[in-house]
């Protein structure tokens, strides 16, 4: 009897070890040993063309397992396996099961997802807040409202309770910002408040969101259409003659002038001359710029911080940026050092997305 007990224990241990070697179930993330403290995660594509997540040092935290993984937004990343979408949390665990036909990033605590070819909204527990009923992709929730179209493609807004807060009556609709949303009516743009009343009558060629009390609009009559910044009363605070103007990020807006890109302050001063063939917004103090076919990064003084050597360069997030180079791709830190890389031909799905 005493001799059979060790044999029984050994048999049970052997069975347990064998079970651990089985492939992980599709509904669970294949986690590596958990980090000692919360850390930023970044989607990465392995040599087996499976997606997992790495940390800022390039170590795998979630082993390659998914057919796709996106950037994190509000603590969740959308992932896909066998054409079903779900969400992982910042620990890398599957927080919302793989069950949707499509899925968008979380915004204002809600995400737009599709099931049975209809879009609706879920919360972070995976529960439906607005039942799937829309055939078109919806705007994200911002400040408690989301733009939704009716069957004719006319837009209105729902609130977080799912109620139709602002009726369908706009040709196009943007998200709310600082209590106002830019919408178009009769091919002109204006701004409405959260009750759907006109705060600024539609009179602009184009209008975008308010930031720090100012909104970017296009004014004038063709061919003399300029970009401008207006306040909440609609008064023009700055007007510039450029081909393109984007929102101010970290105090600078990227502009296109004579088919070259540079950066402008909110006083209208061109602080970084228009000399680049392409440019992105500043993020983490750096901006990706292209000269010819190569990308690099400049600081806010216009000084080149990371040399022009990449085929593709994305914005920095949490200290890392996704880049590609001839024959490879990966992540670099703000010193331009490669912290994770794969030196193989670049598959079409190699770039992460939000």
């Amino acid at each position: 009897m005493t001799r059979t007990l060790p044999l029984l224990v050994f048999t049970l241990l052997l069975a347990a070890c064998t079970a651990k070697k089985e492939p992980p179930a599709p509904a669970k993330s294949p986690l590596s040993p958990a980090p000692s403290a919360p850390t930023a995660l970044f989607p990465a594509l392995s040599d087996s063309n499976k997606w997992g997540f790495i940390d800022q040092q390039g170590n795998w935290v979630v082993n390659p397992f998914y057919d796709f993984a996106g950037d994190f937004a509000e603590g969740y990343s959308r992932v896909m396996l066998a054409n079903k979408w779900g969400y992982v949390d910042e620990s890398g665990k599957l927080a919302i099961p793989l069950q949707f036909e499509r899925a968008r990033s979380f915004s204002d605590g809600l995400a737009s997802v599709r099931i049975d070819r209809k879009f609706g909204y879920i919360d972070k527990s995976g529960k439906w807040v607005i039942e799937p009923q829309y055939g078109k992709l919806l705007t994200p929730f911002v400040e408690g409202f989301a733009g939704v179209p009716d069957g004719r493609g006319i837009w209105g807004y729902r609130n977080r309770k799912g109620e139709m807060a602002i009726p369908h009556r706009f040709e196009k609709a943007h998200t709310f910002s600082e209590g106002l949303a830019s919408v178009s009516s009769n091919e002109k743009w204006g701004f409405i408040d959260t009750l759907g009343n006109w705060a600024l009558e539609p009179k602009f060629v184009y209008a975008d969101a308010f930031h720090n009390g100012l909104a970017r609009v296009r004014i004038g009559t063709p061919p003399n259409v300029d970009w401008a910044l207006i306040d909440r009363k609609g008064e023009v605070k700055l007007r510039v003659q450029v081909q393109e103007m984007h929102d101010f990020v970290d105090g600078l807006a990227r502009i296109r002038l004579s088919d070259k890109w540079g950066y402008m302050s909110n006083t209208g001063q061109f602080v970084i001359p228009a000399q680049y063939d392409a440019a992105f917004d500043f993020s983490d103090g750096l901006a990706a710029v292209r000269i010819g076919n190569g990308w690099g990064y400049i600081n806010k003084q216009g000084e080149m911080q990371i040399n022009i050597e990449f085929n593709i360069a994305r914005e920095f997030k949490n200290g890392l940026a996704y880049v590609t180079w001839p024959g490879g791709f990966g992540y670099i830190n703000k010193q331009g050092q490669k912290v994770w890389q794969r030196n193989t031909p670049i598959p079409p799905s190699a770039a992460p997305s939000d």
Side-chain angles (χ1 to χ4, degrees):
M1 183 72 175
T2 56
R3 291 182 180 179
T4 59
L5 182 59
L7 179 61
L8 177 61
V9 172
F10 175 78
T11 303
L12 291 174
L13 289 174
L14 180 61
C17 292
T18 304
K20 290 181 180 178
K21 292 180 180 179
E22 294 177 0
K28 296 181 180 179
S29 302
L31 290 172
S32 296
S36 57
T39 184
L41 297 183
F42 304 84
L45 188 66
S46 72
D47 290 339
S48 62
N49 287 337
K50 289 290 186 179
W51 288 83
F53 293 90
I54 59 171
D55 61 19
Q56 287 175 310
Q57 289 70 48
N59 303 310
W60 288 104
V61 176
V62 178
N63 291 323
F65 177 64
Y66 298 104
D67 295 329
F68 178 84
D71 289 330
F72 276 85
E74 295 191 356
Y76 285 73
S77 166
R78 58 197 182 103
V79 294
M80 187 265 287
L81 182 66
N83 292 320
K84 292 295 182 182
W85 292 80
Y87 295 85
V88 298
D89 62 22
E90 288 181 307
S91 71
K93 294 180 180 178
L94 193 65
I96 300 176
L98 301 157
Q99 57 186 302
F100 306 111
E101 297 166 352
R102 291 182 67 181
R104 306 300 292 176
S105 297
F106 273 92
S107 174
D108 211 12
L110 301 178
S112 171
V113 297
R114 191 180 79 177
I115 195 165
D116 295 330
R117 303 187 66 82
K118 296 292 184 181
F119 283 98
Y121 291 90
I122 59 170
D123 62 19
K124 290 185 178 180
S125 70
K127 295 180 180 178
W128 290 104
V129 175
I130 298 177
E131 294 290 331
Q133 56 191 281
Y134 297 102
K136 292 184 178 181
L137 188 64
L138 311 172
T139 72
F141 263 89
V142 179
E143 296 188 1
F145 295 88
V148 295
D150 65 10
R152 303 166 298 158
I154 304 300
W155 290 78
Y157 291 86
R158 284 192 182 272
N159 61 23
R160 291 178 59 89
K161 296 179 181 179
E163 301 166 337
M164 202 66 207
I166 300 174
H168 297 98
R169 65 173 190 268
F170 307 112
E171 296 158 358
K172 296 179 182 178
H174 289 171
T175 57
F176 273 85
S177 177
E178 299 184 4
L180 300 178
S182 58
V183 296
S184 70
S185 178
N186 295 321
E187 299 184 350
K188 292 291 185 180
W189 287 80
F191 292 86
I192 59 170
D193 60 21
T194 55
L195 298 176
N197 300 319
W198 288 108
L200 293 173
E201 294 289 334
K203 61 180 180 180
F204 305 107
V205 178
Y206 175 79
D208 214 327
F210 271 90
H211 298 290
N212 299 316
L214 298 175
R216 183 172 55 94
V217 299
R218 296 198 74 185
I219 58 177
T221 303
N224 300 313
V225 178
D226 299 329
W227 286 95
L229 292 178
I230 61 169
D231 63 15
R232 294 175 68 91
K233 296 180 180 179
E235 296 179 358
V236 175
K237 296 301 181 181
L238 174 68
R239 181 169 180 166
V240 291
Q241 294 180 337
V242 294
Q243 293 168 290
E244 238 178 292
M245 175 183 173
H246 288 257
D247 286 329
F248 283 86
V249 179
D250 287 346
L252 296 178
R254 56 190 170 110
I255 55 95
R256 183 165 63 95
L257 182 64
S258 299
D259 289 327
K260 294 289 184 179
W261 289 86
Y263 296 85
M264 181 184 72
S265 70
N266 56 14
T267 63
Q269 180 184 3
F270 296 111
V271 294
I272 300 177
Q275 57 186 315
Y276 305 107
D277 295 309
F280 286 143
D281 292 331
F282 274 89
S283 177
D284 281 2
L286 298 178
V289 295
R290 178 170 63 85
I291 298 176
N293 294 322
W295 288 85
Y297 292 85
I298 60 171
N299 62 20
K300 294 175 73 173
Q301 289 71 47
E303 301 165 335
M304 188 64 66
Q305 293 294 292
I306 301 176
N307 291 333
I308 301 289
E309 57 184 87
F310 304 109
N311 296 80
I312 295 174
R314 297 267 305 268
E315 295 176 353
F316 273 90
K317 294 181 181 179
N318 296 314
L320 298 186
Y322 173 85
V323 295
T324 72
W325 55 87
F329 58 95
Y331 286 94
I332 59 171
N333 59 24
K334 293 174 69 174
Q335 290 72 47
Q337 300 165 331
K338 296 173 182 176
V339 299
W340 181 87
Q341 59 184 301
R342 177 178 161 186
N343 291 310
T344 58
I346 305 169
S349 62
S353 169
D354 61 359

